[in-house]
Amino acid sequence: MTLSLTHVHGDRITVAHQATGTELFAYVYRPEAPWEAPKPYLHPIRTLGGALVTDYRPNDHRWHKGLQLTASHLSGQNLWGGNTYVHGEGYLALPERIGSMDHVGFDEVSARPDGVVIAERLTWHPYDGSLWAEEERRIEVRADAEAGSWSLTWSSAVTNRRSEPLRFGSPTTTGRPAAGYTGLFWRGPRAFRDGHAFTADADSAERDLMGDQAPWLAYCGEHDGRDGHATVVFEHAPGNDHTGAKGTHPAHWFVRTDPFAAVAPSFAFHEELVLDPGEELARRYRVHVADGAWDRAAVTAHLERHPW
């Protein structure tokens, strides 16, 4: 078996690559500081070679934690963490708007011959603790030692349990330009600042990719403390272009290389996504973590070998 897992109940699940002895990531579901909108997250995430590709509680945004599913503006609440953007006033400390995504239980935690599966149930809450949504989350992990990479598939189905619509938004839908972050969010390590982000059609060396639409986006950064680079490739499934009672909402990329490395396939970049009572929002993503500086040809070839 290539991958193994260790479960410290009530705290975290650690997944390791047996051949190299590398701990690939820890899935931490223990609640943390209320101000940071408690929610499960993956950190540290490492390449097969052991290089770190995530940051945790950086001094500029303490609520940035590796890789996590977020909701920055949700019907007036903030399940992202930290200050809340208010149009015309900027970012304000509004603790009465900070919510949480709470672990309920695991339906499966297993290491199989073909990989690892973590299936979890969560509930989403505003500040007052009432139930706003239920989520079924599934994380599947596969290693590709020949390619020097491993991949993580993240599937989430969020069901509105309110008696009124849930409105998913972002700072941009509230009035701040080019700040459409919400959804699955990755914060890269400090060393990855000024890295190289690119899609099949464009790259950050030529223009700003913020708000672009593309099936995948890759981010290549150079390490501190050791020689070499790593490449993290983010994909969103074709079915992620949500069509519901209130219309279609295609995914747009939130991506920064400065002042820090960050990527999110935002589901509410320019317009709010409205989820009616009882309606389900389903999203599926893949994240490929590779040693080395992959170029467009390498990413394309890898994704062709590993279709959805």
Side-chain angles (χ1 to χ4, degrees):
M1 187 177 294
T2 304
L3 301 176
S4 64
L5 62 82
T6 303
H7 188 182
V8 179
H9 291 270
D11 185 9
R12 70 189 60 208
I13 298 168
T14 303
V15 174
H17 186 252
Q18 291 182 317
T20 61
T22 300
E23 291 186 353
L24 300 181
F25 67 86
Y27 183 79
V28 182
Y29 62 95
R30 179 193 69 247
E32 296 193 356
W35 175 246
E36 296 166 13
K39 65 182 73 67
Y41 61 88
L42 279 75
H43 177 82
I45 299 179
R46 298 185 178 91
T47 67
L48 288 179
L52 184 68
V53 296
T54 52
D55 205 353
Y56 172 76
R57 297 191 76 245
N59 59 26
D60 49 54
H61 295 79
R62 295 294 190 195
W63 45 96
H64 287 188
K65 297 174 182 178
L67 180 71
Q68 56 185 339
L69 187 68
T70 70
S72 58
H73 288 247
L74 184 65
S75 295
Q77 291 284 294
N78 173 357
L79 276 65
W80 164 269
N83 293 339
T84 301
Y85 180 77
V86 178
H87 187 56
E89 300 181 61
Y91 283 92
L92 304 178
L94 301 173
E96 68 278 7
R97 294 194 186 184
I98 304 294
S100 66
M101 300 178 185
D102 298 341
H103 168 78
V104 174
F106 291 110
D107 293 324
E108 182 178 356
V109 177
S110 64
R112 304 171 175 178
D114 60 344
V116 162
V117 173
I118 301 171
E120 183 185 23
R121 285 170 285 113
L122 303 99
T123 51
W124 293 25
H125 306 274
Y127 177 77
D128 67 11
S130 58
L131 177 63
W132 273 17
E134 293 178 321
E135 179 191 349
E136 292 185 0
R137 179 178 298 182
R138 185 178 179 88
I139 294 173
E140 301 173 77
V141 186
R142 304 284 185 272
D144 186 349
E146 183 177 346
S149 69
W150 62 275
S151 65
L152 177 151
T153 302
W154 181 306
S155 304
S156 283
V158 180
T159 302
N160 180 5
R161 295 306 186 198
R162 299 179 79 195
S163 60
E164 56 188 283
L166 276 175
R167 308 183 71 90
F168 290 80
S170 66
T172 294
T173 66
T174 312
R176 182 189 174 197
Y181 53 79
T182 195
L184 190 69
F185 180 82
W186 167 79
R187 172 68 188 252
R190 195 172 298 274
F192 278 27
R193 177 178 178 176
D194 298 324
H196 179 210
F198 59 95
T199 66
D201 302 313
D203 68 66
S204 59
E206 300 170 352
R207 64 176 178 83
D208 187 0
L209 302 183
M210 181 70 77
D212 272 20
Q213 290 180 269
W216 59 265
L217 185 143
Y219 195 110
C220 179
E222 186 173 7
H223 305 300
D224 280 340
R226 60 188 294 164
D227 294 334
H229 297 72
T231 306
V232 186
V233 184
F234 305 86
E235 292 183 276
H236 67 83
N240 284 356
D241 289 346
H242 175 77
T243 301
K246 301 298 189 294
T248 300
H249 293 266
H252 295 77
W253 291 102
F254 174 89
V255 54
R256 280 189 175 145
T257 60
D258 179 72
F260 51 78
V263 173
S266 173
F267 45 63
F269 197 108
H270 298 293
E271 298 178 347
E272 286 189 334
L273 188 158
V274 181
L275 196 67
D276 284 332
E279 190 179 3
E280 179 185 275
L281 173 64
R283 284 289 185 273
R284 192 169 183 229
Y285 308 96
R286 282 198 306 187
V287 181
H288 307 265
V289 181
D291 284 297
W294 285 11
D295 59 14
R296 183 173 288 113
V299 172
T300 300
H302 181 78
L303 298 184
E304 288 176 349
R305 292 194 301 271
H306 300 278
W308 283 100

